[in-house]
Tab-separated table of all heavy atoms in Angstrom:
chain	number	residue	atom	x	y	z
A	932	VAL	N	34.181	-47.077	19.739
A	932	VAL	CA	33.842	-45.759	20.401
A	932	VAL	C	34.974	-44.753	20.163
A	932	VAL	O	36.092	-45.083	20.289
A	932	VAL	CB	33.772	-46.041	21.953
A	932	VAL	CG1	33.591	-44.725	22.812
A	932	VAL	CG2	32.812	-47.044	22.304
A	933	ILE	N	34.487	-43.567	19.786
A	933	ILE	CA	35.412	-42.490	19.628
A	933	ILE	C	35.420	-41.560	20.815
A	933	ILE	O	36.573	-41.251	21.412
A	933	ILE	CB	34.950	-41.494	18.363
A	933	ILE	CG1	34.701	-42.355	17.124
A	933	ILE	CG2	36.009	-40.356	18.153
A	933	ILE	CD1	34.059	-41.581	15.941
A	934	ALA	N	34.331	-41.021	21.312
A	934	ALA	CA	34.197	-40.090	22.407
A	934	ALA	C	32.877	-40.277	23.115
A	934	ALA	O	31.940	-40.659	22.530
A	934	ALA	CB	34.567	-38.715	21.906
A	935	VAL	N	32.789	-39.717	24.277
A	935	VAL	CA	31.560	-39.349	24.975
A	935	VAL	C	31.585	-37.943	25.368
A	935	VAL	O	32.481	-37.426	25.876
A	935	VAL	CB	31.371	-40.113	26.273
A	935	VAL	CG1	30.208	-39.758	27.103
A	935	VAL	CG2	31.267	-41.757	25.951
A	936	VAL	N	30.633	-37.147	24.855
A	936	VAL	CA	30.432	-35.709	25.129
A	936	VAL	C	29.410	-35.356	26.227
A	936	VAL	O	28.336	-36.066	26.269
A	936	VAL	CB	30.326	-34.898	23.872
A	936	VAL	CG1	31.424	-34.877	23.093
A	936	VAL	CG2	29.021	-35.200	23.314
A	937	GLY	N	29.679	-34.557	27.209
A	937	GLY	CA	28.757	-34.042	28.180
A	937	GLY	C	28.197	-32.659	27.808
A	937	GLY	O	29.104	-31.731	27.767
A	938	ILE	N	27.003	-32.488	27.609
A	938	ILE	CA	26.480	-31.255	27.097
A	938	ILE	C	25.538	-30.721	28.209
A	938	ILE	O	24.751	-31.258	28.767
A	938	ILE	CB	25.527	-31.493	25.878
A	938	ILE	CG1	26.372	-32.056	24.710
A	938	ILE	CG2	24.935	-30.265	25.419
A	938	ILE	CD1	25.530	-32.508	23.588
A	939	LYS	N	25.931	-29.458	28.531
A	939	LYS	CA	25.292	-28.664	29.581
A	939	LYS	C	23.982	-28.080	29.053
A	939	LYS	O	24.172	-27.266	28.050
A	939	LYS	CB	26.206	-27.657	30.315
A	939	LYS	CG	25.503	-26.741	31.375
A	939	LYS	CD	25.428	-27.643	32.620
A	939	LYS	CE	24.968	-26.737	33.674
A	939	LYS	NZ	24.467	-27.616	34.952
A	940	ASP	N	22.836	-28.213	29.637
A	940	ASP	CA	21.681	-27.550	29.239
A	940	ASP	C	20.991	-27.015	30.557
A	940	ASP	O	20.259	-27.813	31.233
A	940	ASP	CB	20.626	-28.549	28.547
A	940	ASP	CG	19.396	-27.900	28.021
A	940	ASP	OD1	19.354	-26.603	27.926
A	940	ASP	OD2	18.498	-28.652	27.596
A	941	PRO	N	21.161	-25.766	30.914
A	941	PRO	CA	20.768	-25.259	32.247
A	941	PRO	C	19.285	-25.215	32.472
A	941	PRO	O	18.529	-25.015	31.384
A	941	PRO	CB	21.375	-23.674	32.271
A	941	PRO	CG	22.206	-23.772	31.090
A	941	PRO	CD	21.886	-24.707	30.085
A	942	VAL	N	18.876	-25.323	33.597
A	942	VAL	CA	17.580	-25.242	33.983
A	942	VAL	C	16.872	-23.800	33.730
A	942	VAL	O	17.732	-22.820	33.913
A	942	VAL	CB	17.270	-25.644	35.389
A	942	VAL	CG1	15.781	-25.195	35.826
A	942	VAL	CG2	17.439	-27.053	35.646
A	943	ARG	N	15.757	-23.628	33.066
A	943	ARG	CA	15.220	-22.235	32.828
A	943	ARG	C	15.030	-21.406	34.073
A	943	ARG	O	14.629	-21.998	35.113
A	943	ARG	CB	13.866	-22.373	32.127
A	943	ARG	CG	14.082	-22.652	30.637
A	943	ARG	CD	12.584	-22.730	30.030
A	943	ARG	NE	12.582	-23.142	28.644
A	943	ARG	CZ	12.780	-22.314	27.596
A	943	ARG	NH1	12.831	-21.012	27.963
A	943	ARG	NH2	12.525	-22.727	26.428
A	944	PRO	N	15.296	-20.171	34.103
A	944	PRO	CA	14.980	-19.354	35.145
A	944	PRO	C	13.537	-19.454	35.594
A	944	PRO	O	12.675	-19.300	34.680
A	944	PRO	CB	15.376	-17.954	34.822
A	944	PRO	CG	16.305	-18.089	33.553
A	944	PRO	CD	15.875	-19.462	33.042
A	945	GLY	N	13.156	-19.388	36.799
A	945	GLY	CA	11.726	-19.368	37.160
A	945	GLY	C	11.056	-20.825	37.108
A	945	GLY	O	9.857	-20.856	37.384
A	946	VAL	N	11.687	-21.768	36.583
A	946	VAL	CA	11.049	-23.105	36.502
A	946	VAL	C	10.846	-23.741	37.797
A	946	VAL	O	9.627	-24.240	38.143
A	946	VAL	CB	11.785	-24.146	35.680
A	946	VAL	CG1	11.379	-25.597	35.938
A	946	VAL	CG2	11.604	-23.797	34.100
A	947	LYS	N	11.645	-23.539	38.880
A	947	LYS	CA	11.580	-24.085	40.205
A	947	LYS	C	10.313	-23.430	40.819
A	947	LYS	O	9.480	-24.206	41.430
A	947	LYS	CB	12.780	-23.847	41.029
A	947	LYS	CG	12.854	-24.738	42.331
A	947	LYS	CD	14.140	-24.597	42.982
A	947	LYS	CE	14.196	-25.336	44.169
A	947	LYS	NZ	15.480	-25.484	45.018
A	948	GLU	N	10.131	-22.223	40.605
A	948	GLU	CA	9.039	-21.495	41.226
A	948	GLU	C	7.708	-22.010	40.532
A	948	GLU	O	6.726	-22.093	41.310
A	948	GLU	CB	9.141	-19.987	41.029
A	948	GLU	CG	10.278	-19.308	41.937
A	948	GLU	CD	11.627	-19.526	41.260
A	948	GLU	OE1	11.690	-20.005	40.118
A	948	GLU	OE2	12.723	-19.382	42.046
A	949	ALA	N	7.823	-22.155	39.281
A	949	ALA	CA	6.511	-22.566	38.543
A	949	ALA	C	6.166	-24.003	39.028
A	949	ALA	O	4.980	-24.280	39.082
A	949	ALA	CB	6.765	-22.611	36.901
A	950	VAL	N	7.024	-24.826	39.180
A	950	VAL	CA	6.784	-26.278	39.659
A	950	VAL	C	6.228	-26.164	41.095
A	950	VAL	O	5.125	-26.753	41.470
A	950	VAL	CB	8.055	-27.206	39.731
A	950	VAL	CG1	7.776	-28.535	40.531
A	950	VAL	CG2	8.525	-27.388	38.300
A	951	LYS	N	6.702	-25.148	41.941
A	951	LYS	CA	6.142	-25.126	43.394
A	951	LYS	C	4.780	-24.606	43.241
A	951	LYS	O	3.945	-25.022	43.976
A	951	LYS	CB	7.121	-23.967	44.109
A	951	LYS	CG	6.694	-23.995	45.475
A	951	LYS	CD	7.568	-23.012	46.303
A	951	LYS	CE	7.274	-22.927	47.711
A	951	LYS	NZ	5.957	-22.450	48.069
A	952	THR	N	4.414	-23.680	42.295
A	952	THR	CA	3.154	-23.104	42.175
A	952	THR	C	2.196	-24.264	41.868
A	952	THR	O	1.008	-24.308	42.175
A	952	THR	CB	3.152	-21.935	40.988
A	952	THR	OG1	3.993	-20.967	41.333
A	952	THR	CG2	1.762	-21.492	40.758
A	953	CYS	N	2.638	-25.233	40.857
A	953	CYS	CA	1.754	-26.332	40.447
A	953	CYS	C	1.411	-27.162	41.704
A	953	CYS	O	0.374	-27.657	41.852
A	953	CYS	CB	2.409	-27.117	39.429
A	953	CYS	SG	2.496	-26.396	37.736
A	954	LEU	N	2.492	-27.507	42.444
A	954	LEU	CA	2.326	-28.248	43.608
A	954	LEU	C	1.305	-27.669	44.570
A	954	LEU	O	0.456	-28.302	45.237
A	954	LEU	CB	3.642	-28.601	44.269
A	954	LEU	CG	4.622	-29.481	43.349
A	954	LEU	CD1	5.973	-29.547	44.066
A	954	LEU	CD2	4.095	-30.836	43.126
A	955	ASP	N	1.508	-26.353	44.837
A	955	ASP	CA	0.496	-25.597	45.672
A	955	ASP	C	-0.890	-25.659	45.168
A	955	ASP	O	-1.815	-25.569	45.844
A	955	ASP	CB	0.916	-24.123	45.607
A	955	ASP	CG	2.093	-23.766	46.578
A	955	ASP	OD1	2.431	-24.651	47.502
A	955	ASP	OD2	2.746	-22.670	46.499
A	956	ALA	N	-0.923	-25.807	43.848
A	956	ALA	CA	-2.383	-25.845	43.124
A	956	ALA	C	-2.845	-27.170	43.101
A	956	ALA	O	-4.006	-27.410	42.478
A	956	ALA	CB	-2.159	-25.064	41.867
A	957	GLY	N	-2.086	-28.173	43.715
A	957	GLY	CA	-2.685	-29.590	43.621
A	957	GLY	C	-2.270	-30.199	42.184
A	957	GLY	O	-3.094	-31.218	41.905
A	958	ILE	N	-1.482	-29.661	41.527
A	958	ILE	CA	-1.154	-30.151	40.196
A	958	ILE	C	0.240	-30.999	40.355
A	958	ILE	O	1.299	-30.361	40.682
A	958	ILE	CB	-1.042	-29.150	39.084
A	958	ILE	CG1	-2.325	-28.432	39.006
A	958	ILE	CG2	-0.721	-29.887	37.766
A	958	ILE	CD1	-2.310	-27.200	38.154
A	959	MET	N	0.206	-32.341	39.989
A	959	MET	CA	1.467	-33.106	40.122
A	959	MET	C	2.258	-32.898	38.840
A	959	MET	O	1.638	-33.001	37.808
A	959	MET	CB	1.049	-34.642	40.389
A	959	MET	CG	2.173	-35.691	40.178
A	959	MET	SD	2.916	-35.795	41.842
A	959	MET	CE	3.582	-37.349	41.758
A	960	VAL	N	3.456	-32.637	39.060
A	960	VAL	CA	4.377	-32.579	37.829
A	960	VAL	C	5.236	-33.801	37.695
A	960	VAL	O	5.877	-34.141	38.634
A	960	VAL	CB	5.209	-31.327	37.832
A	960	VAL	CG1	6.117	-30.992	36.677
A	960	VAL	CG2	4.455	-30.050	38.108
A	961	ARG	N	5.154	-34.363	36.472
A	961	ARG	CA	6.056	-35.634	36.203
A	961	ARG	C	6.923	-35.314	35.008
A	961	ARG	O	6.462	-34.752	34.104
A	961	ARG	CB	5.092	-36.781	35.875
A	961	ARG	CG	4.323	-37.251	37.013
A	961	ARG	CD	3.485	-38.535	36.545
A	961	ARG	NE	2.833	-39.119	37.763
A	961	ARG	CZ	1.736	-38.941	38.377
A	961	ARG	NH1	1.021	-37.936	37.851
A	961	ARG	NH2	1.242	-39.549	39.338
A	962	MET	N	8.181	-35.583	35.108
A	962	MET	CA	9.105	-35.452	33.923
A	962	MET	C	9.171	-36.737	33.127
A	962	MET	O	9.510	-37.674	33.825
A	962	MET	CB	10.475	-35.118	34.505
A	962	MET	CG	11.375	-34.830	33.419
A	962	MET	SD	13.203	-34.997	34.090
A	962	MET	CE	13.426	-33.427	34.835
A	963	VAL	N	8.870	-36.557	31.878
A	963	VAL	CA	9.057	-37.768	31.015
A	963	VAL	C	9.985	-37.367	29.906
A	963	VAL	O	9.813	-36.422	29.110
A	963	VAL	CB	7.771	-38.119	30.384
A	963	VAL	CG1	7.842	-39.338	29.530
A	963	VAL	CG2	6.624	-38.268	31.396
A	964	THR	N	11.331	-38.012	29.941
A	964	THR	CA	12.315	-37.650	28.969
A	964	THR	C	12.955	-38.819	28.354
A	964	THR	O	12.949	-39.860	29.013
A	964	THR	CB	13.303	-36.729	29.857
A	964	THR	OG1	14.416	-36.421	29.000
A	964	THR	CG2	13.954	-37.546	31.064
A	965	GLY	N	13.664	-38.572	27.287
A	965	GLY	CA	14.487	-39.714	26.586
A	965	GLY	C	15.865	-39.661	27.130
A	965	GLY	O	16.609	-40.587	26.788
A	966	ASP	N	16.076	-38.755	28.090
A	966	ASP	CA	17.489	-38.642	28.560
A	966	ASP	C	17.859	-39.855	29.492
A	966	ASP	O	17.044	-40.575	30.056
A	966	ASP	CB	17.795	-37.343	29.243
A	966	ASP	CG	18.910	-36.582	28.532
A	966	ASP	OD1	19.694	-37.110	27.895
A	966	ASP	OD2	18.732	-35.311	28.623
A	967	ASN	N	19.180	-39.852	29.865
A	967	ASN	CA	19.793	-40.828	30.872
A	967	ASN	C	19.091	-40.527	32.228
A	967	ASN	O	18.748	-39.438	32.597
A	967	ASN	CB	21.310	-40.527	30.976
A	967	ASN	CG	21.976	-41.429	31.985
A	967	ASN	OD1	21.680	-41.304	33.186
A	967	ASN	ND2	22.805	-42.237	31.556
A	968	ILE	N	18.782	-41.659	32.934
A	968	ILE	CA	18.025	-41.502	34.170
A	968	ILE	C	18.817	-40.583	35.191
A	968	ILE	O	18.117	-39.858	35.976
A	968	ILE	CB	17.714	-43.016	34.779
A	968	ILE	CG1	16.753	-42.728	36.060
A	968	ILE	CG2	19.071	-43.692	35.368
A	968	ILE	CD1	15.878	-43.929	36.344
A	969	ASN	N	20.183	-40.713	35.326
A	969	ASN	CA	20.864	-39.839	36.191
A	969	ASN	C	20.737	-38.377	35.852
A	969	ASN	O	20.698	-37.436	36.690
A	969	ASN	CB	22.342	-40.355	36.208
A	969	ASN	CG	22.489	-41.776	37.018
A	969	ASN	OD1	21.996	-41.968	37.870
A	969	ASN	ND2	23.360	-42.526	36.380
A	970	THR	N	20.845	-38.048	34.585
A	970	THR	CA	20.687	-36.676	34.082
A	970	THR	C	19.333	-36.225	34.449
A	970	THR	O	19.139	-35.206	35.053
A	970	THR	CB	20.783	-36.579	32.584
A	970	THR	OG1	22.076	-37.221	32.169
A	970	THR	CG2	20.791	-35.195	32.142
A	971	ALA	N	18.293	-37.143	34.179
A	971	ALA	CA	16.916	-36.683	34.518
A	971	ALA	C	16.647	-36.467	35.980
A	971	ALA	O	15.919	-35.466	36.466
A	971	ALA	CB	15.931	-37.838	34.014
A	972	LYS	N	17.216	-37.385	36.814
A	972	LYS	CA	17.075	-37.052	38.269
A	972	LYS	C	17.786	-35.860	38.818
A	972	LYS	O	17.186	-35.116	39.635
A	972	LYS	CB	17.620	-38.303	38.959
A	972	LYS	CG	16.734	-39.576	38.914
A	972	LYS	CD	17.551	-40.891	39.296
A	972	LYS	CE	17.731	-41.075	40.747
A	972	LYS	NZ	18.262	-42.482	41.003
Side-chain angles (χ1 to χ4, degrees):
V932 175
I933 306 168
V935 176
V936 293
I938 300 173
K939 181 74 177 167
D940 184 11
V942 169
R943 281 182 184 272
V946 161
K947 192 169 184 178
E948 292 76 12
V950 169
K951 187 178 184 298
T952 302
C953 283
L954 297 173
D955 280 346
I958 303 169
M959 174 87 159
V960 182
R961 293 178 167 90
M962 181 201 284
V963 184
T964 177
D966 242 334
N967 178 296
I968 192 159
N969 292 317
T970 308
K972 280 161 78 172

